[in-house]
Amino acid sequence: MKATVAWWDLSGSGHSIASLRAYLRDEAVDRFASVEGLRLKFWIADPATERWGAVLLWESAEAAARPLAPRAAELIGRAPVQYTVFDVEATVEGVHTLPGLPGPGLIREEPAGRA
């Protein structure tokens, strides 16, 4: 398995974490649900530094190497400042009380239209 991590600096992009949550809710989550070879994707944000990103877990190096439509880069107006591919040494899911994935995230907690 492979993991990829992408980070964007949103400062000066005209986008905020809130505006990108609307993109997740309206488009991205459903689109990525049908990507072949993708085991898991979660989007991450750091409001204090205006950073937005994603972590993707792929079933193989071949799946991780397939090009994806650069929709986030299109919206933000630039490529990520960091894009790294990692080998996955192991995975585990611990004991928790949350419902199964796709799990609650801030896009599920914020009403639509509040971007």
Side-chain angles (χ1 to χ4, degrees), residues 25-66:
R25 186 175 38 251
D26 299 342
E27 176 181 340
V29 170
D30 289 339
R31 185 165 54 90
F32 277 92
S34 63
V35 172
E36 288 188 38
L38 179 63
R39 296 290 315 259
L40 174 70
K41 178 172 184 173
F42 55 95
W43 288 267
I44 51 180
D46 182 358
T49 61
E50 294 185 79
R51 290 190 303 169
W52 174 266
V55 178
L56 298 89
L57 180 63
W58 299 96
E59 68 182 8
S60 66
E62 295 77 23
R66 286 188 205 117

Side-chain angles (χ1 to χ4, degrees), residues 68-92:
L68 295 172
R71 183 72 174 123
E74 257 178 41
L75 289 171
I76 296 166
R78 56 184 170 242
V81 296
Q82 177 188 357
Y83 184 85
T84 309
V85 179
F86 297 95
D87 291 327
V88 175
E89 301 293 337
T91 63
V92 66

Side-chain angles (χ1 to χ4, degrees), residues 17 21 25 45 104-111:
I17 290 167
R21 279 186 195 139
R25 186 175 38 251
L106 294 175
I107 68 163
R108 305 262 190 257
E109 297 170 14
E110 186 175 277

